[in-house]
Amino acid sequence: METVPKGENAQTSLKVRVWRGDAAGGEFREYAVPARENQTVLDVVTQIQREIEPDLAYRFACRVGMCGSCAMEVNGRARWTCRTHVKRVAAPGEALEIRPLANLPVIRDLATDMAPFFDKWARAGGTFQPKDAPDGAVPAEFSVVPPESKQRREADAGIECIGCGVCYASCDIVAWNPDYLGPAAMNRAWTLVNDVRDGARRERLEAVSGDAGCHSCHSTQSCTERCPKNLDPSSAIAGLKRTLFWDSLWGRLR
Amino acid sequence: MSARAGRHLWVAQRVTAMFLGVAVLVHLVTIMVAVRGGLTATEILARTQGATLWFAFYAAFALAAGLHGAIGLRNIAMEWLGWRGRGFDFAWLGIGVVTALFGVRAAWGLYVS
């Protein structure tokens, strides 16, 4: 355990427990950093890496909530560390506990392997498939999409996802079933199902069906509760279920 | 199990739930009305013997309950016990059919005896 840095007393230092390890396993180690009036959890992790443990592995890029790379579990909840002030998650004198995102393989320390997360986006049909140009070329004519149409509003509701993985790490179903596509991938699929320019509706609906897809969702809504962008993947998944129900009953899907 | 089969199971569970919602109500109301005059085997048989509508109702009830229950138990076993795969799927199908058949047999007994 590290000692309190010189010149800091108990009031001005912040205790931080950081998970250190790799895919084979690991443990929490305790550090003390200067407590400041305004500091984010990412500031704290950076402070530890720069001043105490140069080999601490973590990931970040923009620091302003745009890139979605810095998500970690902070005091038991997945969050963007760059947009989380320490004082919002830990009362004065309380310790911080930081670990890598749940439900994803750990590369080292606080960095997880996001490959399974993005592979599932692909599996859920997350790629836009232009109707008139299946090869991905730009169609000759522009589509007219009224922004106020019901379908466009459904698509817009989920379009701002930046793929940070917070919902995926918060999902009980992913924890129970490693094949489960997860909230982000199905939120993406729902925006495309509602995109009138898209031509792969049927294939996409098939892809999000069944035990690994929307039908395993229990609507516990941790994804919606924890999404840093305030999106609502739970409702998107409910939309997929509803669409699949009527399409199955009326034979639009075999 | 394929994604398509999974989707069909989900739809089947919802449809049977809708039917069971109504059927359970009918069943409960029938019980409440029936016990008013005292509950005897003679009275029950008088209502059910040769009553094709009652038989059809309870046969459909038993089939829906068997199917609905087995699909639900399959989901719980997959999530809580990790019981997945073809072997388990067949076992649940068998359990669903047997449960339904017990119910249909009971309804048949009341219809013909």
Side-chain angles (χ1 to χ4, degrees):
Chain A
M1 184 189 144
E2 294 292 324
T3 52
V4 177
K6 265 190 187 147
E8 306 286 345
N9 60 36
Q11 264 78 48
T12 56
S13 91
L14 172 71
K15 258 196 197 154
V16 193
R17 285 159 50 76
V18 178
W19 193 88
R20 305 293 311 273
D22 53 25
E27 55 177 16
F28 281 102
R29 279 199 223 147
E30 236 172 73
Y31 305 97
V33 298
R36 299 184 204 286
E37 173 59 22
N38 272 313
Q39 61 185 353
T40 63
V41 176
L42 184 61
D43 292 337
V44 168
V45 175
T46 302
Q47 169 92 19
I48 294 173
Q49 195 219 37
R50 291 198 181 160
E51 305 296 335
I52 308 173
E53 290 272 32
D55 67 340
L56 174 67
Y58 68 110
R59 190 187 287 125
F60 76 98
C62 76
R63 296 174 297 137
V64 290
M66 287 170 68
C67 72
S69 354
C70 70
M72 299 167 203
E73 306 265 334
V74 184
N75 287 10
R77 283 180 65 147
R79 304 165 183 277
W80 288 350
T81 52
C82 73
R83 302 292 289 168
T84 304
H85 276 266
V86 171
K87 61 184 171 198
R88 231 182 64 205
V89 287
E94 216 180 314
L96 269 189
E97 187 178 282
I98 310 173
R99 38 181 314 143
L101 280 182
N103 296 340
L104 286 161
V106 175
I107 298 173
R108 193 159 66 81
D109 301 339
L110 300 171
T112 49
D113 182 1
M114 300 295 282
F117 175 75
F118 288 113
D119 287 347
K120 287 176 182 179
W121 274 57
R123 251 175 40 211
T127 315
F128 174 59
Q129 196 61 255
K131 235 178 209 160
D132 313 319
D135 54 354
V138 178
E141 293 295 324
F142 284 108
S143 300
V144 179
V145 184
E148 285 312 307
S149 62
K150 187 174 178 293
Q151 275 194 306
R152 192 56 232 174
R153 275 187 284 141
E154 288 275 11
D156 283 343
I159 208 74
E160 296 290 346
C161 174
I162 60 172
C164 66
V166 164
C167 59
Y168 188 83
S170 306
C171 177
D172 290 329
I173 320 299
V174 176
W176 289 333
N177 179 7
D179 290 333
Y180 181 61
L181 292 170
M186 286 194 275
N187 179 71
R188 171 65 182 162
W190 181 236
T191 63
L192 289 174
V193 165
N194 282 291
D195 193 328
V196 291
R197 303 164 304 163
D198 184 272
R201 186 177 192 277
R202 178 186 288 251
E203 293 81 351
R204 190 169 293 109
L205 284 173
E206 291 283 4
V208 298
S209 284
D211 296 332
C214 66
H215 295 120
S216 285
C217 173
H218 286 251
S219 309
T220 43
Q221 304 188 34
S222 300
C223 50
T224 297
E225 166 73 20
R226 298 195 181 167
C227 174
K229 305 273 299 187
N230 288 324
L231 305 183
D232 188 0
S234 192
S235 292
I237 296 171
L240 288 172
K241 284 181 182 172
R242 218 164 33 239
T243 305
L244 279 160
F245 180 77
W246 292 114
D247 279 14
S248 300
L249 270 194
W250 304 134
R252 287 193 287 260
L253 282 176
R254 276 184 301 118
Chain B
M1 174 173 285
S2 74
R4 176 178 300 165
R7 167 164 56 86
H8 287 154
L9 281 188
W10 190 86
V11 170
Q13 205 191 16
R14 265 60 193 174
V15 171
T16 50
M18 290 173 199
F19 173 71
L20 285 170
V22 178
V24 167
L25 266 183
V26 172
H27 182 62
L28 288 177
V29 169
T30 310
I31 290 172
M32 281 191 271
V33 172
V35 294
R36 291 193 165 199
L39 193 60
T40 62
T42 331
E43 194 222 5
I44 293 172
L45 286 173
R47 186 170 56 249
T48 59
Q49 267 176 345
T52 312
L53 261 182
W54 276 122
F55 171 68
F57 172 74
Y58 276 108
F61 196 145
L63 282 173
L67 197 58
H68 183 88
I71 297 172
L73 287 172
R74 174 181 174 268
N75 291 342
I76 295 170
M78 284 200 307
E79 282 174 0
W80 289 75
L81 305 168
W83 290 1
R84 300 165 204 278
R86 187 174 282 260
F88 285 113
D89 289 344
F90 278 115
W92 288 120
L93 178 69
I95 288 169
V97 169
V98 168
T99 318
L101 284 183
F102 274 129
V104 174
R105 185 176 161 274
W108 180 251
L110 291 170
Y111 179 63
V112 294
S113 64

